[in-house]
Amino acid sequence: MSHIVQVVPFIGPGSGIAGVAWNLDQQFRSLGATVETFTFDMARRGPVRPWPRRRFGRRLARAWRVIWFSTAGTVRARRFLAERPDAISICHDNALVGDIYVSHGTVAASMRARGHATWRMLRNPTHVFTFLRDLYRYRSRTHRAVVALAASEAETLRRVYGRVSAPIIVISNGVDLERFRPPSVEERQAARALFRLEDDARVALFIGHEFDRKGLSFAIEGLREAPSVLLLIVGGSAEIIQSARTDAQDHGVGERVMFTGPRHDLPTFLAASDMFVLPSAYEANALVILEALASGLPVICTPVGFAPEIVVDGRNGYLVTRDAHEVGRRMDQLAHEDLAPWRANARASAEPHDWRAVAMRYLDLIDDLRRAKVSA
């Protein structure tokens, strides 16, 4: 069987890049592969220091880690891989190594989607560094294959970087169908009791830390079009939560918005909700959309990333523009629907995307690269 090394800054159960690498690790092992991981901790040869408490300090620490793992971390990752010549390597972020590189998003595309791209790039030197690093990554022969998480993301890579030397293969992210599933009647009642929700209350759920990019303001203002809907918001920092709370009060919907801050027990929030809303400006492949669908929630989201490939208007949700009135109308529409068929359709649409199926696609790609290496 295959010997695989994943190069990723951090790995562990949960969301984001770390969660993707962790789920692939688990599935590769269950399918009989030998799997190793090279992380930031290993490159630094010691435990990572705690994040600074102040916001500015956290930004500096994050920038330093990106730059360090992209440079010194790359050198150490190459040494690690050189000692394992039989392995096929998968790189998930930062480091300029790996037979396969998984593109989890394009900074320049994210900036363009939100407007004032040049200003957004220049105000954060880390964005400029990342763009130049990836310009080299894609135009050089650093990788033998690039994985894009959606067909639209493959086109984004070509549009932003002009050309990509390695072939691009589309493999979407997956979802843990056991962790994320429609709740039982008892589980739903228990989850709603935590938030003191009435049985007939209709709850829209938003999950995300970047409120601006992910379009929380459109969901908040959209509540004016959906007078019977409550909005449950997971994620954010104290500063942006206060700003969003003020926004809700200004629109006269403050009493129908609930902020929880960052949480890891997402199935509880999904179980308490009736629909999921994410009017994001840019996503490569939002894991949370798959998680919401797997949990039986119809999704209201923008047609970015993987969403157009899985969300079907009128069946498991709606694709919308970043327009508060449109988002609100769709929330109001679902609030007055019998959601039983929507829940069934949502779950059915997520089931083909379990992590095992995704891992098998990676193994097929690994086999192709191994055969090409032998015949070369």
Side-chain angles (χ1 to χ4, degrees):
M1 287 297 291
S2 297
H3 180 186
I4 301 169
V5 175
Q6 292 200 95
V7 180
V8 60
F10 305 100
I11 186 169
S15 60
I17 296 172
V20 171
W22 185 85
N23 278 289
L24 288 174
D25 178 282
Q26 301 302 298
Q27 294 301 324
F28 288 152
R29 293 176 189 276
S30 71
L31 290 165
T34 299
V35 187
E36 294 183 272
T37 307
F38 184 85
T39 65
F40 181 88
D41 289 7
M42 294 175 64
R44 287 285 294 162
R45 298 168 185 159
V48 179
R49 294 179 180 178
W51 284 96
R53 292 185 179 182
R54 294 184 180 275
R55 184 183 180 189
F56 182 71
R58 291 198 302 270
R59 284 185 174 181
L60 283 179
R62 187 178 294 110
W64 178 83
R65 289 183 184 181
V66 169
I67 294 170
W68 190 91
F69 200 60
S70 300
T71 52
T74 291
V75 173
R76 294 181 180 181
R78 286 175 179 169
R79 292 174 184 164
F80 185 86
L81 294 174
E83 297 171 356
R84 295 156 176 80
D86 65 317
I88 294 290
S89 50
I90 302 174
C91 180
H92 288 276
D93 202 19
N94 296 337
L96 291 164
V97 297
D99 296 292
I100 300 168
Y101 179 70
V102 184
S103 173
H104 290 274
T106 305
V107 169
S110 177
M111 299 299 105
R112 290 177 184 176
R114 296 158 66 185
H116 307 290
T118 301
W119 176 78
R120 288 181 182 276
M121 289 286 287
L122 294 178
R123 74 172 183 170
N124 187 337
T126 308
H127 292 337
V128 178
F129 171 84
T130 300
F131 173 78
L132 293 175
R133 179 201 65 198
D134 288 344
L135 183 65
Y136 171 79
R137 178 195 304 284
Y138 291 119
R139 291 192 174 185
S140 70
R141 298 190 177 277
T142 300
H143 311 291
R144 298 169 60 198
V146 171
V147 169
L149 302 180
S152 62
E153 189 64 12
E155 292 304 314
T156 296
L157 289 175
R158 297 186 182 99
R159 184 175 66 252
V160 170
Y161 297 104
R163 65 179 175 84
V164 179
S165 295
I168 301 176
I169 295 88
V170 177
I171 304 177
S172 69
N173 280 332
V175 62
D176 184 338
L177 294 173
E178 294 183 6
R179 183 179 182 219
F180 297 98
R181 55 177 175 75
S184 66
V185 173
E186 294 76 17
E187 288 169 335
R188 178 171 167 80
Q189 289 176 343
R192 289 173 75 88
L194 288 175
F195 308 110
R196 300 179 181 178
L197 298 171
E198 301 292 337
D199 291 341
D200 59 349
R202 286 301 173 106
V203 179
L205 177 65
F206 173 97
I207 299 175
H209 292 298
E210 298 179 63
F211 288 177
D212 181 32
R213 175 170 67 85
K214 293 182 179 289
L216 176 59
S217 62
F218 299 99
I220 288 175
E221 186 179 350
L223 289 176
R224 298 172 65 177
E225 306 282 340
S228 62
V229 174
L230 307 178
L231 182 61
L232 183 59
I233 300 166
V234 178
S237 63
E239 182 178 357
I240 64 174
I241 286 174
Q242 183 54 51
S243 177
R245 182 176 283 115
T246 300
D247 187 30
Q249 292 169 350
D250 290 344
H251 286 296
V253 297
E255 74 283 356
R256 290 192 285 128
V257 175
M258 181 184 301
F259 295 91
T260 70
R263 298 291 294 267
H264 296 290
D265 50 336
L266 296 187
T268 300
F269 295 90
L270 292 159
S273 303
D274 299 289
M275 65 191 83
F276 181 77
V277 58
L278 191 74
S280 185
Y282 170 79
E283 300 286 341
N285 185 310
L287 280 170
V288 71
I289 288 179
L290 271 175
E291 292 165 352
L293 291 170
S295 302
L297 297 186
V299 170
I300 301 168
C301 64
T302 41
V304 296
F306 185 59
E309 299 178 38
I310 194 168
V311 177
V312 179
D313 279 347
R315 284 192 55 81
N316 62 354
Y318 289 103
L319 296 172
V320 297
T321 61
R322 276 165 65 93
D323 176 82
H325 298 290
E326 185 178 359
V327 173
R329 285 195 299 270
R330 290 308 190 187
M331 287 194 293
D332 188 61
Q333 183 175 345
L334 287 175
H336 292 90
E337 293 268 1
D338 173 9
L339 291 181
W342 292 84
R343 294 188 184 106
N345 291 338
R347 175 66 181 187
S349 66
E351 285 177 344
H353 301 280
D354 68 288
W355 276 114
R356 191 174 188 84
V358 171
M360 290 177 69
R361 292 201 60 194
Y362 275 95
L363 290 177
D364 288 342
L365 174 57
I366 287 169
D367 287 342
D368 290 343
L369 293 179
R370 196 180 299 280
R371 283 192 295 267
K373 188 175 184 178
V374 171
S375 61

